[in-house]
């Protein structure tokens, strides 16, 4: 059985790392931070934002609503206020389906 390297998760991610993960500008994340109350990354002594895994999960939901579903900030806020659990569930489902699609595309290329 081949050795699988364990996935190392960091405790904190920098603004640049998070911006690269979502392929958006850091200014977009700062803008979202102003409009979504539950998105509050911690700041170090220098004032640099440090994002936790929970912050990344929140950003994933916000990204899904704004970029993938095309809602406005006002629409995304109301959607989260109405039923955040459904939105989070839908985001997770979309993410799983995208992973399955990429795996199937990879299998198709190898045929």
């Amino acid at each position: 059985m081949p050795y699988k390297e364990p996935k190392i998760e960091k405790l904190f991610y920098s603004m640049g790392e998070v911006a690269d993960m979502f392929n958006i500008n850091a200014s977009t994340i700062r803008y979202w931070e102003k409009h979504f109350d539950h998105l509050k990354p911690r700041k170090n002594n220098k004032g640099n934002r440090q994002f936790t895994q929970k912050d990344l999960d929140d950003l994933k939901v916000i990204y899904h609503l704004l970029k993938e579903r095309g809602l406005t900030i006002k629409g995304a806020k109301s959607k989260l206020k109405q039923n955040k659990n459904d939105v989070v569930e839908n985001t997770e489902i979309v993410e799983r389906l995208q992973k399955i699609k990429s795996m199937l595309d990879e299998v198709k290329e190898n045929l």
Side-chain angles (χ1 to χ4, degrees):
M1 181 182 270
Y3 173 74
K4 277 194 169 180
E5 188 113 0
K7 184 178 178 185
I8 299 172
E9 290 191 24
K10 297 169 64 172
L11 292 178
F12 299 105
Y13 297 88
S14 70
M15 175 66 85
E17 290 172 323
V18 174
D20 288 344
M21 283 180 205
F22 290 96
N23 198 24
I24 55 177
N25 295 327
S27 60
T28 304
I29 296 171
R30 286 191 296 273
Y31 182 74
W32 290 351
E33 187 181 332
K34 288 179 189 174
H35 291 282
F36 293 94
D37 296 332
H38 59 279
L39 182 61
K40 293 289 179 200
R42 153 188 170 169
K43 293 184 182 179
N44 65 10
N45 293 336
K46 289 180 161 183
N48 298 333
R49 289 167 178 82
Q50 296 179 318
F51 294 87
T52 62
Q53 187 60 48
K54 183 193 175 307
D55 295 326
L56 293 179
D57 294 340
D58 290 340
L59 269 172
K60 212 178 283 185
V61 171
I62 293 168
Y63 181 88
H64 172 72
L65 291 173
L66 297 176
K67 297 292 187 178
E68 293 173 350
R69 291 194 49 198
L71 296 176
T72 62
I73 289 191
K74 186 177 180 182
K77 279 181 165 182
S78 68
K79 193 79 164 164
L80 286 171
K81 190 179 282 187
Q82 287 173 0
N83 199 346
K84 184 178 179 181
N85 291 335
D86 282 350
V87 174
V88 171
E89 240 177 71
N90 288 342
T91 304
E92 290 172 355
I93 290 170
V94 167
E95 187 177 334
R96 279 190 237 132
L97 289 172
Q98 287 172 341
K99 285 180 184 177
I100 291 169
K101 182 183 182 297
S102 66
M103 287 172 40
L104 290 173
D105 287 342
E106 187 178 314
V107 168
K108 181 180 174 184
E109 288 177 15
N110 291 332
L111 291 177

